[in-house]
Amino acid sequence: MAFDFIEQQLKVRYQDGLYRKCTVADGQQGRYLIADNKTYLNFSSNDYLGLASDPALIKAWQKGAELFGVGSGGSFLVTGYNQAHAELTAQLKEWLGVEALALFSSGYSANQAVIKLLLNKHDLLIQDKLNHASLMEAGTLADCKMLRFRHNDTAHLTSLLNNHKEAEGNKLIISEGVFSMDGDTAPVQSLYQQAQENNAWLMIDDAHGLGVSGRNGQGSIVEAGLKNSDVQIYMATFGKALGVGGAFVAGSQSFIDYLTNFSKPYIYTTGLPPAMAYTITQATKMTESEQWRRDKLHSLIKTFRESAADKCIELGESQTAVQPVIIGDSRRTLNLAEKLKKLGFWTTAIRPPTVPVNSARLRITLTTNHEIEDLKMLIDAISRIINEQ
Ligand SMILES: *Cc1c(COP(=O)(O)O)cnc(C)c1O
């Protein structure tokens, strides 16, 4: 039978307890998640600054729709690039201190675009082992050689680079700024130096750092004491801390001009709706200026880690909004998430292949929408369940 792997592989997934389906959430994203007519405390959202359902942004989207309609009507290079996109671009350039940037409808396509655009047969792509699937997949499909260095291990990166000192092609090193499943941060300074010494380009995917880390939320590179323009490619998304959706790739004017002219994922797709670009501009302004959101989030992170330590709950090495509770075994992790759900806490069990074997975890995310009592209740519940298991 044609394509009979479909049924077979679904069956295996199901038997392994790895079958997935979408949850239908009701209403707005926020402190609570409503699903199946039940209300849960939401510890699974990437809406770190609590902007996704902010009344000012809901208004902005409505106003944007009145001003610009709901759709862009075309790809950016045809008629889809509106004043709203130009304003967003200008706003981001100023906030982040980058020379030029290109907007994308998703971070996934932005990452595919960059890798496809830059890397050819004799080139070398070196990625942190825990980089996001969008980067890994693009690297696997590209025509270049791809190597992976052990997570945040710059000594391993050095040895890979030394082994390829004579390589004739271009070299691109890619790391996330804040790692999506572990919440730890990349050694940006050291990556920067290695790239410099080896005549390589460095790309930072800061999907989880933008808005949360660095002065005025300027991200992980600024947090590390460098400028966003110090790396050749700075990429981040609007769907996490900024609360909306979409992404950008920033770099030199000539790199962005080249991307605009030669990248198929940029050229052959309908432009981000201008009302959405208008909303993202407002979200950018709020992210930059409303420091209280970051202050509150960082104080929640501190409380969460202290409460976990009090109850001897093992967390990952993270000072960011992503706080993994490491369990190890996949079934135990799933079991913990299910019990928490019964108690009214929405958390996500992350299992292989998303994370390495034997490192299944609850990925807890904290947001500005939480209150201290929410965290304490969650920690108490986790502690009780783990001690019963
Ligand atoms: C979420 C994410 C992406 C993809 O961005 P989308 O806009 O959601 O497609 C890329 N990289 C990292 C590290 C991410 O966490």
Side-chain angles (χ1 to χ4, degrees):
M1 238 173 58
F3 299 102
D4 49 5
F5 62 84
I6 294 177
E7 295 298 330
Q8 278 165 17
Q9 295 200 1
L10 279 174
K11 212 162 156 189
V12 173
R13 272 275 153 113
Y14 205 78
Q15 283 162 353
D16 292 350
L18 294 173
Y19 182 80
R20 294 165 162 194
K21 62 182 174 39
C22 296
T23 301
V24 184
D26 201 1
Q28 301 183 349
Q29 273 286 323
R31 183 178 179 188
Y32 299 103
L33 181 83
I34 303 168
D36 303 329
N37 293 319
K38 277 183 69 182
T39 302
Y40 301 89
L41 265 172
N42 184 0
F43 286 103
S44 289
S45 169
N46 295 327
D47 177 25
Y48 304 127
L49 298 179
L51 289 170
S53 304
D54 187 279
L57 290 181
I58 294 171
K59 279 228 168 65
W61 200 312
Q62 290 163 341
K63 186 170 171 208
E66 274 164 26
L67 290 170
F68 308 109
V70 296
S72 68
S75 60
F76 280 150
L77 290 177
V78 182
T79 54
Y81 194 83
N82 182 283
Q83 186 60 31
H85 300 105
E87 274 171 26
L88 171 58
T89 302
Q91 175 71 25
L92 288 166
K93 275 167 42 176
E94 196 183 311
W95 176 36
L96 302 174
V98 291
E99 190 176 309
L101 59 87
L103 301 173
F104 282 85
S105 302
S106 83
Y108 203 102
S109 69
N111 282 341
Q112 303 270 313
V114 169
I115 291 177
K116 269 195 207 163
L117 181 72
L118 291 182
L119 297 157
N120 293 302
K121 203 166 179 141
H122 300 291
D123 299 333
L124 182 61
L125 169 62
I126 312 188
Q127 305 210 49
D128 186 289
K129 261 202 160 136
L130 295 190
N131 276 356
H132 191 259
S134 53
L135 294 163
M136 286 304 173
E137 192 205 31
T140 311
L141 296 175
D143 208 8
C144 64
K145 184 177 179 75
M146 179 168 84
L147 300 170
R148 305 190 307 163
F149 60 97
R150 286 190 291 271
H151 177 51
N152 278 351
D153 184 342
T154 42
H156 190 208
L157 172 62
T158 309
S159 81
L160 293 180
L161 283 163
N162 285 342
N163 290 343
H164 291 82
K165 271 241 175 306
E166 309 307 322
E168 51 184 300
N170 295 303
K171 297 180 190 127
L172 176 65
I173 301 166
I174 310 182
S175 174
E176 292 187 30
V178 170
F179 283 83
S180 57
M181 294 299 140
D182 292 68
D184 55 347
T185 48
V188 176
Q189 284 268 4
S190 165
L191 294 174
Y192 170 74
Q193 269 160 19
Q194 302 244 357
Q196 292 271 316
E197 282 162 19
N198 288 278
N199 191 27
W201 272 25
L202 175 62
M203 170 175 177
I204 298 291
D205 172 340
D206 212 16
H208 299 271
L210 182 71
V212 177
S213 304
R215 198 177 143 268
N216 296 337
Q218 289 167 302
S220 307
I221 296 176
V222 171
E223 175 86 34
L226 294 170
K227 295 192 298 245
N228 286 325
S229 57
D230 284 336
V231 299
Q232 287 77 15
I233 308 175
Y234 182 63
M235 174 274 177
T237 70
F238 306 126
K240 275 125 190 180
L242 272 73
V244 190
F248 70 87
V249 172
S252 70
Q253 189 66 55
S254 59
F255 167 57
I256 297 301
D257 287 346
Y258 181 74
L259 186 152
T260 311
N261 278 274
F262 291 97
S263 168
K264 291 195 169 75
Y266 180 83
I267 298 168
Y268 296 100
T269 195
T270 300
L272 199 72
M276 192 166 159
Y278 183 80
T279 314
I280 300 166
T281 304
Q282 305 308 310
T284 303
K285 289 179 182 167
M286 289 167 72
T287 300
E288 182 179 5
S289 64
E290 297 183 3
Q291 180 61 31
W292 67 266
R293 293 179 187 271
R294 269 181 293 283
D295 292 345
K296 182 173 176 197
L297 178 61
H298 287 121
S299 128
L300 290 169
I301 293 167
K302 193 160 166 276
T303 306
F304 182 79
R305 294 190 65 83
E306 284 166 2
S307 313
D310 282 348
K311 301 272 184 188
C312 301
I313 293 171
E314 193 197 337
L315 299 177
E317 275 305 311
S318 161
Q319 303 299 326
T320 68
V322 180
Q323 291 289 330
V325 176
I326 314 284
I327 303 295
D329 180 69
S330 288
R331 282 190 193 279
R332 273 191 72 203
T333 311
L334 205 58
N335 197 272
L336 174 58
E338 274 164 13
K339 285 188 173 159
L340 285 169
K341 199 170 158 194
K342 289 214 175 85
L343 296 172
F345 301 96
W346 197 281
T347 62
T348 312
I350 309 274
R351 293 156 288 165
T354 309
V355 291
V357 179
N358 290 327
S359 75
R361 68 206 51 200
L362 279 189
R363 178 178 182 269
I364 309 276
T365 51
L366 305 177
T367 80
T368 302
N369 285 324
H370 288 127
E371 297 302 336
I372 284 181
E373 62 261 31
D374 302 344
L375 314 188
K376 299 228 154 123
M377 284 194 297
L378 175 67
I379 292 284
D380 280 348
I382 292 176
S383 163
R384 255 182 296 133
I385 297 166
I386 289 182
N387 290 330
E388 280 163 13
Q389 268 182 345

